[in-house]
Amino acid sequence: MPQVKIVARNFMDMVASLPAFKLDKLYENSFICEAILRSLPPLAKKYVLQMLYIEGPVSAKWLEEWVLPDGVSKHKVAVDRLIQLRILTETIERKKETTYLLNPTFQSNLQKHIVHGGVLPREPMASNITVRLPTLEDLDAYAVQQWEYFLLHLINSTEAEKSTNISSSMMRIFQRGLLNQKDDKEPAKLTESGFQFLLMDTNAQLWYIIREYITNCEEHGVDTADLISFLLELSFHVTGKAYNLNTLSDIQRNILKDLTDLGLVKLQQGRKESWFIPTKLATNLSISLADTSSRKQGFVVVETNFRMYAYSTSKLHCEILRLFSRIEYQLPNLIVCAITKESLSKALLNGIAADQIISFLQQNAHPRVAERTPSVPENVTDQIRLWESDLNRLEMTPAHFYDEFPSRDVFEATCDFAREYGGLLWENSKKMRLVVKAEIFPHMKEFLRKQKQ
């Protein structure tokens, strides 16, 4: 069964893919320089900070002296990343000596930012203007709720709230990779990538959506560099503080409306002013995906008899578990289900791999079982993999069946012909029957026609 990989990359992968002139434009913003610095691998950060006040190029040999002998591979990764982001410029001289030069714009603005700090284009609004701002707990609950509504809309579940209004731009992102709709009469269905997406970690899901959003932004007249710059800038805002919408351009306001669907910001309307409130999802945008340590508390307990107990009130959790298990009953705070061969086969046929299901169960293990090794019983993980291998033992090949040959000579000649074309799948010499691949049917048809003449 072919597996479709979804790679969830962070902002820096998007930044690295920008043309050189757009990268230089980004580095004119000191906050962008800091965001990029803190997203770099540790060794790359070390190189940037050590070169920050060095005027002129640094030799490759000198740079190599800054790392221990066992860190050669990390050194190469760090240098390659810095070159991709145009933070370092590599020059190979005639004497074959390689030197590296720090990007002057990046260097100058990062120096100013570290020494003098920076001022955001907008400051938080005064408390006497904004009233009834949500608490941090309420804001976190809002972000989770919006994200779940968003994914429930993707699943096209009857549990999705009718009041959820997903913007057309966000739905187009789904249509391209996660949903498939043949015509307007039929409802959109999840693709293999869509099923896999639902089992991904929340942070990985968010990075995937943001990456696709950035990729498709130019269709809406938004420059990629401007969008990345605004999103990175947004990550420097304070969680829970209110910021005036009048400080934004029309394009930025439209972007915020889309981000509201994801739970990155909350919009509020006052008597005279309107404002937006960033959630933790927004203020963590510039953090590398690999460095994101915040994980939700697990909720699943898997028993050796293949029964699962999910301690959750989330409708989304129920729908995700339904992808690969049979829901037996549901209480206000408990979902009881079971992994069966039928439920798992359905998941596998939808494009979900056994290892993805196992990974989901391990990552979402309830705290009482998460500390165990293994957190998911071995007999369950082994059986899931066995069911997958059983399904993969069968390979479907379009074919044609031939019998009732006029003579044995014609039958044997036909077998030889099919064998030469690499299309013979099966033959029964006694009953003069054979099966050949459908791809050689036109050649077989012409061959048999000549045999009749």
Side-chain angles (χ1 to χ4, degrees):
M1 181 189 302
Q3 295 299 328
V4 182
K5 279 191 175 182
I6 295 183
V7 180
R9 303 179 299 172
N10 60 25
F11 265 131
M12 296 311 115
D13 296 302
M14 304 300 299
V15 172
S17 65
L18 292 174
F21 74 94
K22 289 189 177 183
L23 274 174
D24 292 336
K25 180 182 176 182
L26 279 180
Y27 295 154
E28 293 175 0
N29 186 317
S30 59
F31 285 99
I32 304 301
C33 295
E34 184 189 342
I36 289 174
L37 174 67
R38 68 187 189 182
S39 74
L40 294 171
L43 196 56
K45 289 180 186 176
K46 171 185 171 68
Y47 292 160
V48 170
L49 293 175
Q50 288 192 227
M51 295 176 64
L52 192 58
Y53 288 93
I54 297 177
E55 300 295 333
V58 173
S59 68
K61 291 183 180 179
W62 192 16
L63 205 65
E64 290 170 1
E65 292 177 359
W66 294 350
V67 65
L68 295 174
D70 60 350
V72 176
S73 60
K74 292 182 179 179
H75 167 78
K76 187 177 185 306
V77 170
V79 171
D80 287 346
R81 190 58 163 170
L82 292 172
I83 292 174
Q84 287 173 1
L85 291 166
R86 282 181 56 79
I87 295 174
L88 285 187
T89 303
E90 185 180 44
T91 304
I92 302 176
E93 299 178 354
R94 293 181 180 179
K95 297 179 182 180
K96 295 184 179 180
E97 183 180 7
T98 303
T99 60
Y100 298 106
L101 179 68
L102 204 60
N103 185 307
T105 306
F106 181 89
Q107 184 178 24
S108 174
N109 285 318
L110 189 57
Q111 285 176 356
K112 293 176 183 176
H113 190 70
I114 290 177
V115 175
H116 304 291
V119 179
L120 282 168
R122 61 198 66 86
E123 291 294 326
M125 298 176 69
S127 57
N128 61 339
I129 299 176
T130 60
V131 291
R132 295 182 181 178
L133 289 181
T135 63
L136 292 180
E137 291 77 12
D138 291 340
L139 203 59
D140 288 343
Y142 162 81
V144 171
Q145 184 184 55
Q146 286 297 110
W147 186 251
E148 289 199 358
Y149 285 171
F150 188 58
L151 294 186
L152 281 171
H153 198 98
L154 171 62
I155 298 174
N156 197 24
S157 167
T158 55
E159 298 293 336
E161 296 289 336
K162 295 181 180 179
S163 59
T164 305
N165 296 316
I166 305 298
S167 66
S168 58
S169 57
M170 281 298 173
M171 287 312 301
R172 275 195 289 272
I173 293 174
F174 281 155
Q175 291 287 356
R176 292 190 177 187
L178 306 179
L179 290 178
N180 182 29
Q181 188 172 21
K182 295 181 179 179
D183 52 57
D184 296 334
K185 296 180 180 179
E186 294 184 6
K189 294 182 179 179
L190 282 168
T191 62
E192 287 190 9
S193 298
F195 280 106
Q196 294 174 19
F197 172 83
L198 290 172
L199 293 189
M200 288 166 58
D201 180 79
T202 300
N203 293 306
Q205 291 173 335
L206 178 61
W207 287 121
Y208 174 84
I209 294 298
I210 291 294
R211 185 198 69 180
E212 292 299 311
Y213 186 69
I214 293 172
T215 303
N216 297 307
C217 71
E218 292 187 351
E219 294 182 5
H220 310 291
V222 181
D223 183 76
T224 308
D226 290 340
L227 175 57
I228 291 176
S229 177
F230 175 64
L231 291 172
L232 285 175
E233 222 173 75
L234 191 63
S235 70
F236 284 91
H237 289 63
V238 181
T239 304
K241 294 291 185 180
Y243 296 86
N244 200 323
L245 281 173
N246 291 331
T247 60
L248 305 178
S249 65
D250 292 338
I251 291 177
Q252 289 173 338
R253 287 195 194 98
N254 290 332
I255 293 170
L256 277 187
K257 289 178 182 177
D258 290 336
L259 297 182
T260 303
D261 290 339
L262 301 177
L264 271 68
V265 294
K266 182 178 178 64
L267 300 178
Q268 281 191 339
Q269 174 71 49
R271 291 182 179 179
K272 296 181 180 180
E273 304 285 353
S274 299
W275 55 85
F276 68 92
I277 307 167
T279 69
K280 285 183 180 179
L281 292 178
T283 53
N284 287 338
L285 277 176
S286 61
I287 299 176
S288 169
L289 180 62
D291 296 336
T292 305
S293 58
S294 60
R295 292 290 184 269
K296 289 182 180 179
Q297 191 176 54
F299 60 96
V300 178
V301 175
V302 183
E303 294 189 334
T304 55
N305 61 359
F306 296 86
R307 288 173 69 88
M308 291 191 300
Y309 299 91
Y311 294 88
S312 172
T313 58
S314 169
K315 298 174 183 177
L316 177 63
H317 288 162
C318 182
E319 293 306 313
I320 290 177
L321 291 172
R322 199 187 301 276
L323 295 176
F324 60 89
S325 66
R326 184 185 70 227
I327 305 295
E328 295 187 344
Y329 54 90
Q330 186 175 359
L331 300 177
N333 64 340
L334 177 66
I335 306 166
V336 179
C337 46
I339 300 175
T340 66
K341 186 175 182 179
E342 292 74 19
S343 65
L344 194 74
S345 296
K346 181 182 176 182
L348 296 171
L349 291 172
N350 282 327
I352 303 176
D355 285 339
Q356 290 173 322
I357 295 172
I358 294 169
S359 176
F360 174 83
L361 295 175
Q362 291 170 340
Q363 290 176 7
N364 292 279
H366 191 278
R368 290 197 175 183
V369 297
E371 297 177 358
R372 300 178 190 170
T373 303
S375 57
V376 180
E378 288 185 348
N379 72 304
V380 175
T381 57
D382 290 345
Q383 187 61 62
I384 289 174
R385 291 192 176 100
L386 282 172
W387 280 333
E388 182 183 50
S389 62
D390 285 345
L391 191 66
N392 292 339
R393 283 191 303 179
L394 298 176
E395 183 178 351
M396 302 294 290
T397 303
H400 289 275
F401 174 77
Y402 294 89
D403 65 348
E404 297 183 1
F405 286 89
S407 66
R408 180 162 294 280
D409 291 340
V410 173
F411 168 75
E412 291 177 354
T414 304
C415 289
D416 292 340
F417 179 83
R419 194 176 290 109
E420 289 176 6
Y421 269 85
L424 183 63
L425 294 174
W426 173 84
E427 63 175 303
N428 187 324
S429 299
K430 186 176 181 180
K431 296 183 177 180
M432 290 196 298
R433 296 173 178 173
L434 76 155
V435 177
V436 300
K437 294 180 181 178
E439 60 192 50
I440 70 166
F441 173 71
H443 304 290
M444 287 289 293
K445 185 177 180 180
E446 180 63 20
F447 174 81
L448 293 173
R449 186 184 64 80
K450 291 180 180 179
Q451 296 300 314
K452 292 179 181 179
Q453 295 177 355

